[in-house]
Amino acid sequence: MKLPMSDAEIVRRYRNALDPKKAVKILAQLNGAGTADITAALARSGITPVQPARPRKAQKRLNQQLAQELYKRGLDDNEIARIAGTSDTAVYHWRYRNGLPSHAKHPRQNGKEGGV
């Protein structure tokens, strides 16, 4: 596709962009083209554009009723998190806020080995 801007102009604007991750999309809009066309123009000049970061996967909120049920069954934080589809950190904070002790299989010994 023939772009309104020359490859040199695209390269210059890309290099001067404050946010290179957004520059390809903006240049595509300015040229009435797709991001693939801008990426190709940059590639012809030997430039590999910075890829935008993948959006973080949203954490599923902890279902407190389910967590309470699983906790009563004696499951530890990791098991509760796996079943509830959330992180073990979320389960830990839920337990902490509710003043519940851990059901960890191997509780920490405060950095001490054995009982010495």
Side-chain angles (χ1 to χ4, degrees):
M1 171 181 199
K2 178 74 174 137
L3 300 174
M5 287 184 197
S6 68
D7 286 359
E9 178 69 11
I10 291 171
V11 168
R12 186 181 65 75
R13 288 185 181 219
Y14 178 79
R15 286 185 173 155
N16 291 332
L18 295 176
D19 188 352
K21 293 179 182 179
K22 294 180 181 177
V24 172
K25 186 174 180 181
I26 293 169
L27 286 167
Q29 290 171 347
L30 289 172
N31 282 283
T35 57
D37 297 321
I38 301 301
T39 302
L42 291 170
R44 286 191 293 271
S45 300
I47 295 175
T48 304
V50 178
Q51 296 296 319
R54 295 176 119 194
R56 289 182 61 188
K57 184 179 178 184
Q59 283 282 334
K60 183 178 173 185
R61 291 188 59 90
L62 179 63
N63 179 333
Q64 294 188 16
Q65 289 178 326
L66 176 60
Q68 184 71 37
E69 172 77 25
L70 297 171
Y71 180 82
K72 286 179 182 177
R73 291 184 193 172
L75 299 179
D76 68 17
D77 292 358
N78 289 328
E79 293 166 328
I80 294 171
R82 183 178 49 78
I83 293 169
T86 189
S87 70
D88 57 334
T89 305
V91 175
Y92 166 81
H93 287 292
W94 166 78
R95 230 185 359 83
Y96 181 81
R97 282 191 307 272
N98 290 286
L100 300 170
S102 175
H103 286 160
K105 306 275 190 278
H106 304 287
R108 293 186 180 183
Q109 299 288 327
N110 293 330
K112 297 178 184 175
E113 290 295 320
V116 182

Coordinates of all heavy atoms in Angstrom, one line a residue, residues 11-102:
V11 N 10.0 6.9 9.8 CA 11.1 6.6 10.7 C 11.4 7.7 11.6 O 11.6 7.6 12.8 CB 12.3 6.1 9.9 CG1 13.6 6.1 10.7 CG2 12.1 4.8 9.2
R12 N 11.4 9.0 11.0 CA 11.8 10.1 11.8 C 10.7 10.4 12.9 O 11.1 10.6 14.0 CB 11.8 11.4 10.9 CG 12.3 12.6 11.6 CD 12.3 13.9 10.7 NE 11.0 14.3 10.2 CZ 10.1 14.9 10.9 NH1 10.3 15.2 12.2 NH2 8.9 15.2 10.4
R13 N 9.4 10.3 12.5 CA 8.4 10.5 13.5 C 8.4 9.4 14.6 O 8.1 9.6 15.7 CB 7.0 10.6 12.8 CG 6.9 11.9 12.1 CD 5.5 12.0 11.5 NE 5.3 13.2 10.8 CZ 4.3 14.0 10.8 NH1 3.2 13.6 11.5 NH2 4.2 15.1 10.1
Y14 N 8.7 8.1 14.1 CA 8.7 7.0 15.1 C 9.9 7.3 16.1 O 9.7 7.1 17.3 CB 8.9 5.7 14.4 CG 9.1 4.5 15.3 CD1 7.9 4.0 15.9 CD2 10.3 4.0 15.6 CE1 8.0 2.9 16.8 CE2 10.4 2.9 16.5 CZ 9.3 2.4 17.1 OH 9.4 1.3 17.9
R15 N 11.0 7.7 15.6 CA 12.2 7.9 16.5 C 12.0 9.1 17.4 O 12.5 9.1 18.5 CB 13.4 8.1 15.7 CG 13.9 6.8 15.1 CD 15.2 7.0 14.4 NE 15.8 5.7 13.9 CZ 16.6 5.6 12.9 NH1 17.0 6.6 12.2 NH2 17.0 4.4 12.6
N16 N 11.2 10.1 17.0 CA 11.0 11.2 17.8 C 9.7 11.1 18.7 O 9.5 12.0 19.5 CB 10.8 12.5 16.9 CG 12.1 12.9 16.3 OD1 13.2 12.6 16.8 ND2 12.0 13.5 15.1
A17 N 9.1 10.0 18.6 CA 7.8 9.8 19.4 C 8.2 9.7 20.9 O 9.2 9.1 21.3 CB 7.1 8.6 19.0
L18 N 7.3 10.3 21.7 CA 7.5 10.2 23.2 C 7.2 8.8 23.7 O 7.8 8.4 24.6 CB 6.6 11.2 23.9 CG 6.9 12.7 23.6 CD1 5.9 13.6 24.3 CD2 8.3 13.1 24.1
D19 N 6.3 8.2 23.1 CA 5.9 6.8 23.5 C 6.0 5.9 22.2 O 5.0 5.8 21.5 CB 4.5 6.8 24.1 CG 4.2 5.4 24.7 OD1 4.9 4.5 24.5 OD2 3.1 5.4 25.3
P20 N 7.1 5.2 22.0 CA 7.3 4.4 20.8 C 6.2 3.3 20.7 O 5.9 2.8 19.6 CB 8.7 3.8 20.9 CG 9.4 4.7 21.8 CD 8.4 5.3 22.7
K21 N 5.7 2.8 21.9 CA 4.7 1.8 21.9 C 3.4 2.2 21.2 O 2.7 1.4 20.6 CB 4.5 1.3 23.3 CG 5.7 0.6 23.9 CD 5.4 0.2 25.3 CE 6.6 -0.5 26.0 NZ 6.4 -0.9 27.3
K22 N 3.1 3.5 21.3 CA 1.9 4.0 20.7 C 2.1 4.6 19.3 O 1.1 4.8 18.6 CB 1.3 5.1 21.6 CG 0.8 4.5 23.0 CD 0.2 5.6 23.8 CE -0.3 5.1 25.2 NZ -0.8 6.2 26.0
A23 N 3.4 4.8 19.0 CA 3.7 5.5 17.8 C 3.2 4.8 16.5 O 2.7 5.5 15.6 CB 5.2 5.8 17.7
V24 N 3.3 3.5 16.5 CA 2.9 2.8 15.3 C 1.4 2.9 15.0 O 1.0 3.2 13.9 CB 3.3 1.3 15.4 CG1 2.7 0.4 14.3 CG2 4.8 1.1 15.5
K25 N 0.6 2.8 16.1 CA -0.8 3.0 15.9 C -1.2 4.4 15.5 O -2.0 4.6 14.6 CB -1.5 2.7 17.2 CG -3.0 2.7 17.2 CD -3.6 2.2 18.4 CE -5.1 2.2 18.3 NZ -5.8 1.8 19.6
I26 N -0.5 5.4 16.1 CA -0.7 6.8 15.7 C -0.3 7.1 14.2 O -1.1 7.7 13.5 CB 0.0 7.8 16.7 CG1 -0.6 7.6 18.1 CG2 0.0 9.2 16.2 CD1 0.1 8.3 19.2
L27 N 0.8 6.6 13.9 CA 1.3 6.7 12.5 C 0.3 6.0 11.5 O 0.1 6.6 10.4 CB 2.7 6.2 12.3 CG 3.8 7.1 12.9 CD1 5.1 6.3 13.0 CD2 4.0 8.4 12.1
A28 N -0.2 4.9 11.9 CA -1.2 4.2 11.0 C -2.4 5.1 10.8 O -2.9 5.2 9.7 CB -1.5 2.9 11.6
Q29 N -2.9 5.7 11.9 CA -4.1 6.5 11.8 C -3.8 7.8 10.9 O -4.6 8.2 10.1 CB -4.5 7.0 13.2 CG -5.1 5.8 14.1 CD -5.3 6.2 15.5 OE1 -4.8 7.2 16.0 NE2 -6.1 5.4 16.2
L30 N -2.6 8.4 11.1 CA -2.3 9.5 10.3 C -2.2 9.2 8.8 O -2.4 10.0 8.0 CB -0.9 10.1 10.8 CG -0.9 10.8 12.1 CD1 0.5 11.2 12.6 CD2 -1.8 12.1 12.1
N31 N -1.8 8.0 8.5 CA -1.6 7.6 7.1 C -2.8 6.9 6.5 O -2.8 6.5 5.4 CB -0.4 6.6 7.0 CG 0.9 7.4 7.0 OD1 1.3 8.0 6.0 ND2 1.6 7.4 8.1
G32 N -3.8 6.7 7.4 CA -5.0 5.9 6.9 C -4.7 4.5 6.5 O -5.2 4.0 5.5
A33 N -3.8 3.9 7.3 CA -3.3 2.5 7.0 C -3.4 1.7 8.2 O -3.8 2.1 9.3 CB -1.9 2.6 6.5
G34 N -3.0 0.4 8.1 CA -3.0 -0.5 9.2 C -1.6 -0.4 9.9 O -0.6 0.0 9.3
T35 N -1.6 -1.0 11.1 CA -0.3 -1.0 11.8 C 0.7 -1.9 11.1 O 1.9 -1.7 11.2 CB -0.5 -1.5 13.3 OG1 -1.1 -2.8 13.2 CG2 -1.3 -0.5 14.1
A36 N 0.2 -2.9 10.4 CA 1.2 -3.8 9.6 C 1.9 -3.0 8.5 O 3.1 -3.3 8.3 CB 0.4 -5.0 9.0
D37 N 1.2 -2.0 7.9 CA 1.8 -1.2 6.9 C 2.9 -0.3 7.5 O 4.0 -0.2 6.9 CB 0.8 -0.3 6.2 CG -0.3 -1.1 5.4 OD1 0.1 -2.2 4.8 OD2 -1.4 -0.7 5.5
I38 N 2.7 0.2 8.6 CA 3.7 1.1 9.3 C 4.9 0.2 9.8 O 6.0 0.6 9.6 CB 3.1 1.8 10.5 CG1 1.9 2.7 10.0 CG2 4.1 2.6 11.2 CD1 2.3 3.7 8.9
T39 N 4.6 -1.0 10.3 CA 5.6 -1.9 10.7 C 6.5 -2.3 9.6 O 7.7 -2.4 9.7 CB 5.0 -3.1 11.4 OG1 4.2 -2.7 12.5 CG2 6.1 -4.1 11.9
A40 N 5.9 -2.5 8.4 CA 6.6 -2.9 7.2 C 7.5 -1.7 6.8 O 8.7 -2.0 6.4 CB 5.6 -3.3 6.1
A41 N 7.0 -0.5 6.8 CA 7.8 0.7 6.4 C 9.0 0.8 7.4 O 10.1 1.1 6.9 CB 6.9 1.9 6.5
L42 N 8.8 0.6 8.7 CA 9.9 0.6 9.6 C 10.9 -0.5 9.3 O 12.1 -0.3 9.4 CB 9.4 0.6 11.0 CG 8.6 1.8 11.5 CD1 7.9 1.5 12.9 CD2 9.5 3.0 11.6
A43 N 10.4 -1.7 9.0 CA 11.3 -2.8 8.8 C 12.1 -2.6 7.5 O 13.3 -3.0 7.5 CB 10.4 -4.1 8.6
R44 N 11.6 -1.9 6.5 CA 12.4 -1.6 5.3 C 13.6 -0.7 5.7 O 14.6 -0.7 5.0 CB 11.5 -0.9 4.3 CG 10.5 -1.9 3.6 CD 9.9 -1.3 2.3 NE 9.0 -0.2 2.7 CZ 7.7 -0.3 2.9 NH1 7.1 -1.5 2.9 NH2 6.9 0.8 3.2
S45 N 13.4 0.0 6.8 CA 14.5 0.9 7.2 C 15.4 0.2 8.3 O 16.2 0.9 8.9 CB 14.0 2.2 7.7 OG 13.2 2.9 6.7
G46 N 15.1 -1.0 8.6 CA 15.9 -1.8 9.6 C 15.5 -1.5 11.0 O 16.3 -1.7 11.9
I47 N 14.3 -1.1 11.2 CA 13.8 -0.8 12.6 C 12.7 -1.8 13.0 O 11.8 -2.0 12.2 CB 13.2 0.6 12.7 CG1 14.3 1.7 12.5 CG2 12.6 0.9 14.1 CD1 13.8 3.1 12.4
T48 N 12.9 -2.4 14.2 CA 11.9 -3.3 14.7 C 11.2 -2.5 15.8 O 11.8 -2.1 16.8 CB 12.6 -4.5 15.3 OG1 13.4 -5.2 14.4 CG2 11.5 -5.5 15.9
P49 N 9.9 -2.2 15.6 CA 9.2 -1.4 16.6 C 9.0 -2.1 17.9 O 9.0 -3.3 18.0 CB 7.8 -1.2 15.9 CG 7.7 -2.0 14.7 CD 9.1 -2.6 14.4
V50 N 8.9 -1.3 18.9 CA 8.7 -1.8 20.3 C 7.2 -2.3 20.3 O 6.3 -1.6 19.9 CB 8.9 -0.7 21.3 CG1 8.6 -1.2 22.7 CG2 10.3 -0.2 21.2
Q51 N 7.1 -3.6 20.8 CA 5.7 -4.1 20.9 C 5.1 -3.6 22.2 O 5.7 -3.6 23.2 CB 5.8 -5.7 20.9 CG 6.4 -6.3 19.7 CD 5.5 -6.0 18.5 OE1 4.3 -6.0 18.5 NE2 6.1 -5.7 17.3
P52 N 3.8 -3.3 22.1 CA 3.1 -2.9 23.3 C 3.0 -4.1 24.3 O 2.9 -5.2 23.8 CB 1.7 -2.4 22.9 CG 1.6 -2.9 21.5 CD 3.0 -3.2 20.9
A53 N 3.0 -3.8 25.6 CA 2.9 -4.8 26.6 C 1.5 -5.5 26.5 O 0.5 -4.8 26.2 CB 3.2 -4.3 27.9
R54 N 1.5 -6.8 26.7 CA 0.2 -7.5 26.8 C -0.6 -7.0 28.0 O 0.0 -6.8 29.1 CB 0.4 -9.0 26.9 CG 1.1 -9.5 25.6 CD 1.3 -11.0 25.8 NE 0.6 -11.7 24.8 CZ 0.4 -13.0 24.9 NH1 0.8 -13.7 25.9 NH2 -0.2 -13.6 23.9
P55 N -1.9 -6.8 27.9 CA -2.6 -6.4 29.0 C -2.6 -7.5 30.1 O -2.6 -8.7 29.7 CB -4.0 -6.2 28.5 CG -4.1 -6.7 27.1 CD -2.7 -6.9 26.7
R56 N -2.5 -7.1 31.3 CA -2.5 -8.1 32.4 C -3.9 -8.8 32.5 O -4.9 -8.2 32.3 CB -2.2 -7.4 33.7 CG -0.8 -7.0 33.8 CD -0.5 -6.3 35.2 NE -0.7 -7.3 36.2 CZ -0.7 -7.0 37.5 NH1 -0.5 -5.8 37.9 NH2 -0.9 -7.9 38.4
K57 N -3.8 -10.1 32.8 CA -5.0 -10.8 33.0 C -5.7 -10.4 34.3 O -5.0 -10.3 35.3 CB -4.7 -12.3 33.0 CG -5.9 -13.2 33.1 CD -5.5 -14.7 33.1 CE -6.7 -15.5 33.3 NZ -6.4 -17.0 33.4
A58 N -6.9 -10.0 34.2 CA -7.6 -9.6 35.4 C -7.8 -10.7 36.4 O -8.1 -11.8 36.0 CB -9.0 -9.0 35.1
Q59 N -7.4 -10.4 37.6 CA -7.6 -11.4 38.7 C -9.1 -11.6 39.0 O -9.8 -10.6 39.2 CB -6.8 -11.0 40.0 CG -5.4 -11.2 39.9 CD -5.0 -12.7 40.1 OE1 -5.7 -13.5 40.7 NE2 -3.8 -13.0 39.5
K60 N -9.5 -12.8 39.2 CA -10.9 -13.1 39.6 C -11.0 -12.7 41.1 O -10.1 -13.1 41.9 CB -11.2 -14.5 39.3 CG -12.6 -14.9 39.7 CD -12.8 -16.4 39.3 CE -14.2 -16.8 39.8 NZ -14.4 -18.2 39.6
R61 N -12.0 -12.0 41.5 CA -12.2 -11.7 42.9 C -12.5 -12.9 43.6 O -13.2 -13.8 43.2 CB -13.3 -10.6 43.0 CG -12.9 -9.3 42.5 CD -13.9 -8.2 42.8 NE -14.2 -8.1 44.2 CZ -13.5 -7.2 45.0 NH1 -12.6 -6.5 44.5 NH2 -13.8 -7.1 46.3
L62 N -12.1 -12.9 44.9 CA -12.3 -14.1 45.8 C -13.7 -14.2 46.2 O -14.3 -13.2 46.7 CB -11.4 -14.0 47.0 CG -11.5 -15.1 48.0 CD1 -11.0 -16.4 47.4 CD2 -10.6 -14.8 49.2
N63 N -14.4 -15.3 45.9 CA -15.7 -15.6 46.4 C -15.6 -15.9 47.9 O -15.1 -17.0 48.2 CB -16.3 -16.7 45.6 CG -17.7 -17.1 46.1 OD1 -18.1 -16.9 47.2 ND2 -18.5 -17.6 45.2
Q64 N -16.0 -15.0 48.8 CA -15.7 -15.2 50.2 C -16.5 -16.4 50.8 O -16.0 -17.1 51.7 CB -16.0 -13.9 51.0 CG -15.0 -12.8 50.6 CD -15.1 -11.6 51.4 OE1 -15.7 -11.6 52.5 NE2 -14.6 -10.5 50.9
Q65 N -17.7 -16.6 50.3 CA -18.5 -17.8 50.8 C -17.8 -19.1 50.4 O -17.7 -20.0 51.2 CB -19.9 -17.8 50.2 CG -20.7 -16.7 50.8 CD -22.1 -16.7 50.2 OE1 -22.3 -17.0 49.0 NE2 -23.1 -16.3 51.0
L66 N -17.3 -19.2 49.2 CA -16.6 -20.4 48.7 C -15.3 -20.5 49.6 O -15.0 -21.7 50.0 CB -16.3 -20.3 47.3 CG -15.4 -21.4 46.7 CD1 -16.1 -22.8 46.8 CD2 -15.1 -21.1 45.2
A67 N -14.6 -19.4 49.8 CA -13.3 -19.5 50.5 C -13.6 -20.0 52.0 O -12.8 -20.8 52.5 CB -12.6 -18.1 50.6
Q68 N -14.7 -19.5 52.6 CA -15.0 -19.9 53.9 C -15.3 -21.4 54.0 O -14.8 -22.1 54.9 CB -16.2 -19.1 54.4 CG -16.6 -19.4 55.9 CD -15.6 -18.8 56.9 OE1 -15.1 -17.7 56.6 NE2 -15.4 -19.5 57.9
E69 N -16.1 -21.9 53.0 CA -16.4 -23.3 52.9 C -15.1 -24.2 52.8 O -15.0 -25.2 53.5 CB -17.3 -23.5 51.7 CG -17.6 -25.0 51.5 CD -18.6 -25.6 52.4 OE1 -19.4 -24.9 53.0 OE2 -18.6 -26.8 52.6
L70 N -14.3 -23.8 51.9 CA -13.0 -24.5 51.6 C -12.1 -24.5 52.9 O -11.4 -25.4 53.2 CB -12.3 -24.0 50.4 CG -13.1 -24.2 49.1 CD1 -12.4 -23.5 47.9 CD2 -13.3 -25.6 48.8
Y71 N -12.1 -23.3 53.5 CA -11.3 -23.2 54.7 C -11.7 -24.1 55.8 O -11.0 -24.7 56.5 CB -11.3 -21.7 55.2 CG -10.4 -21.5 56.4 CD1 -9.1 -21.3 56.3 CD2 -11.0 -21.4 57.7 CE1 -8.3 -21.1 57.5 CE2 -10.2 -21.3 58.8 CZ -8.9 -21.1 58.7 OH -8.1 -20.9 59.8
K72 N -13.1 -24.2 56.0 CA -13.6 -25.0 57.0 C -13.3 -26.5 56.7 O -13.2 -27.3 57.7 CB -15.2 -24.9 57.1 CG -15.6 -23.6 57.7 CD -17.1 -23.5 57.7 CE -17.6 -22.2 58.4 NZ -19.0 -22.0 58.3
R73 N -13.1 -26.9 55.5 CA -12.7 -28.2 55.1 C -11.2 -28.5 55.4 O -10.8 -29.6 55.2 CB -13.0 -28.5 53.6 CG -14.4 -28.5 53.3 CD -14.6 -28.9 51.8 NE -15.9 -28.7 51.3 CZ -16.2 -28.8 50.0 NH1 -15.3 -29.1 49.1 NH2 -17.5 -28.6 49.7
G74 N -10.5 -27.5 55.8 CA -9.1 -27.6 56.1 C -8.1 -27.4 55.0 O -6.9 -27.8 55.1
L75 N -8.5 -26.9 53.9 CA -7.6 -26.6 52.7 C -6.7 -25.5 53.0 O -7.1 -24.5 53.7 CB -8.4 -26.4 51.5 CG -9.4 -27.5 51.0 CD1 -10.1 -27.1 49.8 CD2 -8.6 -28.8 50.8
D76 N -5.5 -25.5 52.5 CA -4.5 -24.4 52.7 C -4.8 -23.3 51.6 O -5.6 -23.5 50.7 CB -3.1 -24.9 52.6 CG -2.6 -25.4 51.3 OD1 -3.3 -25.1 50.3 OD2 -1.6 -26.1 51.3
D77 N -4.1 -22.2 51.7 CA -4.3 -21.1 50.8 C -4.1 -21.4 49.4 O -4.9 -21.0 48.5 CB -3.3 -19.9 51.2 CG -3.6 -19.3 52.5 OD1 -4.5 -19.7 53.2 OD2 -2.8 -18.4 52.9
N78 N -3.1 -22.2 49.0 CA -2.9 -22.6 47.6 C -4.0 -23.4 47.1 O -4.5 -23.2 45.9 CB -1.6 -23.4 47.5 CG -0.3 -22.5 47.6 OD1 -0.4 -21.3 47.3 ND2 0.7 -23.1 48.2
E79 N -4.5 -24.3 47.8 CA -5.6 -25.2 47.4 C -6.9 -24.3 47.2 O -7.7 -24.5 46.2 CB -5.9 -26.3 48.4 CG -4.7 -27.3 48.4 CD -4.8 -28.3 49.6 OE1 -5.3 -27.9 50.6 OE2 -4.3 -29.4 49.4
I80 N -7.2 -23.4 48.2 CA -8.3 -22.6 48.1 C -8.2 -21.7 46.8 O -9.2 -21.6 46.1 CB -8.5 -21.7 49.4 CG1 -8.8 -22.6 50.6 CG2 -9.6 -20.7 49.2 CD1 -8.8 -21.9 51.9
A81 N -7.1 -21.1 46.6 CA -6.9 -20.2 45.5 C -7.1 -21.0 44.1 O -7.7 -20.5 43.2 CB -5.5 -19.6 45.5
R82 N -6.5 -22.2 44.0 CA -6.7 -23.0 42.8 C -8.1 -23.3 42.5 O -8.6 -23.1 41.4 CB -5.9 -24.3 43.0 CG -5.9 -25.1 41.7 CD -5.1 -26.4 41.9 NE -5.4 -27.2 43.1 CZ -6.5 -27.9 43.2 NH1 -7.4 -28.1 42.3 NH2 -6.6 -28.6 44.4
I83 N -8.9 -23.7 43.5 CA -10.3 -24.0 43.3 C -11.1 -22.7 43.1 O -12.0 -22.7 42.2 CB -10.9 -24.8 44.6 CG1 -10.2 -26.1 44.7 CG2 -12.4 -24.9 44.5 CD1 -10.4 -26.9 46.0
A84 N -10.8 -21.6 43.8 CA -11.6 -20.4 43.6 C -11.2 -19.6 42.4 O -11.9 -18.7 42.0 CB -11.4 -19.5 44.9
G85 N -10.1 -20.0 41.8 CA -9.6 -19.3 40.5 C -9.0 -17.9 40.8 O -9.2 -17.0 40.0
T86 N -8.3 -17.8 41.9 CA -7.7 -16.5 42.3 C -6.3 -16.8 42.8 O -5.8 -17.9 42.7 CB -8.6 -15.8 43.3 OG1 -8.0 -14.5 43.5 CG2 -8.6 -16.5 44.6
S87 N -5.6 -15.8 43.3 CA -4.2 -16.0 43.7 C -4.2 -16.4 45.2 O -5.1 -16.1 46.0 CB -3.4 -14.7 43.5 OG -3.9 -13.7 44.5
D88 N -3.1 -17.1 45.6 CA -2.9 -17.4 47.0 C -2.8 -16.2 47.9 O -3.1 -16.2 49.0 CB -1.8 -18.4 47.2 CG -0.5 -17.9 46.6 OD1 -0.5 -17.1 45.8 OD2 0.6 -18.4 47.1
T89 N -2.2 -15.1 47.3 CA -2.1 -13.9 48.0 C -3.5 -13.3 48.4 O -3.6 -12.8 49.5 CB -1.3 -12.8 47.2 OG1 -0.1 -13.4 46.8 CG2 -1.1 -11.6 47.9
A90 N -4.4 -13.4 47.5 CA -5.8 -12.9 47.8 C -6.4 -13.7 48.9 O -7.0 -13.2 49.8 CB -6.7 -13.0 46.5
V91 N -6.1 -15.0 48.9 CA -6.7 -15.9 50.0 C -6.0 -15.5 51.3 O -6.6 -15.4 52.3 CB -6.5 -17.4 49.6 CG1 -6.9 -18.3 50.8 CG2 -7.2 -17.8 48.4
Y92 N -4.7 -15.3 51.2 CA -3.9 -15.0 52.5 C -4.5 -13.7 53.1 O -4.8 -13.6 54.3 CB -2.4 -14.8 52.2 CG -1.7 -14.1 53.3 CD1 -1.3 -14.8 54.4 CD2 -1.5 -12.7 53.2 CE1 -0.7 -14.1 55.4 CE2 -0.8 -12.0 54.3 CZ -0.4 -12.7 55.4 OH 0.2 -12.1 56.4
H93 N -4.7 -12.7 52.2 CA -5.2 -11.4 52.7 C -6.7 -11.6 53.3 O -7.0 -10.9 54.3 CB -5.2 -10.3 51.7 CG -3.8 -9.8 51.4 ND1 -3.1 -9.1 52.3 CD2 -3.0 -10.0 50.3 CE1 -1.9 -8.9 51.8 NE2 -1.8 -9.4 50.6
W94 N -7.5 -12.4 52.6 CA -8.8 -12.6 53.1 C -8.7 -13.3 54.5 O -9.4 -12.9 55.4 CB -9.6 -13.6 52.2 CG -10.8 -14.2 52.7 CD1 -12.0 -13.6 52.9 CD2 -10.9 -15.5 53.3 NE1 -12.9 -14.4 53.5 CE2 -12.3 -15.6 53.7 CE3 -10.1 -16.6 53.4 CZ2 -12.7 -16.8 54.3 CZ3 -10.5 -17.7 54.0 CH2 -11.9 -17.8 54.4
R95 N -7.8 -14.3 54.6 CA -7.7 -15.0 55.9 C -7.2 -14.0 57.0 O -7.7 -14.0 58.1 CB -6.6 -16.1 55.7 CG -7.1 -17.4 56.2 CD -6.0 -18.5 56.2 NE -4.7 -18.2 55.6 CZ -3.7 -17.7 56.3 NH1 -3.8 -17.4 57.5 NH2 -2.5 -17.5 55.7
Y96 N -6.2 -13.2 56.6 CA -5.6 -12.2 57.6 C -6.7 -11.2 58.1 O -6.8 -10.9 59.3 CB -4.5 -11.5 56.9 CG -3.8 -10.5 57.8 CD1 -2.8 -10.9 58.7 CD2 -4.1 -9.1 57.7 CE1 -2.2 -10.0 59.5 CE2 -3.5 -8.2 58.5 CZ -2.5 -8.6 59.4 OH -1.9 -7.7 60.3
R97 N -7.5 -10.7 57.1 CA -8.6 -9.7 57.5 C -9.6 -10.4 58.4 O -10.2 -9.7 59.2 CB -9.3 -9.2 56.2 CG -8.5 -8.2 55.5 CD -9.4 -7.5 54.4 NE -10.0 -8.4 53.5 CZ -9.5 -8.9 52.4 NH1 -8.3 -8.5 52.1 NH2 -10.1 -9.7 51.6
N98 N -9.8 -11.7 58.3 CA -10.8 -12.4 59.1 C -10.2 -13.0 60.3 O -10.9 -13.7 61.1 CB -11.6 -13.4 58.3 CG -12.5 -12.7 57.3 OD1 -13.5 -12.1 57.6 ND2 -12.1 -12.7 56.0
G99 N -8.9 -12.8 60.6 CA -8.3 -13.4 61.8 C -8.2 -14.9 61.8 O -8.3 -15.5 62.9
L100 N -8.1 -15.5 60.6 CA -8.1 -17.0 60.6 C -6.6 -17.5 60.5 O -5.8 -17.0 59.7 CB -8.9 -17.5 59.4 CG -10.3 -17.0 59.3 CD1 -10.9 -17.4 58.0 CD2 -11.1 -17.7 60.4
P101 N -6.3 -18.5 61.2 CA -4.9 -19.1 61.1 C -4.7 -19.9 59.9 O -5.7 -20.3 59.2 CB -4.8 -20.0 62.4 CG -6.2 -20.4 62.7 CD -7.1 -19.2 62.3
S102 N -3.5 -20.1 59.5 CA -3.2 -20.8 58.3 C -3.4 -22.3 58.5 O -3.2 -22.8 59.5 CB -1.7 -20.6 57.9 OG -1.3 -21.3 56.8

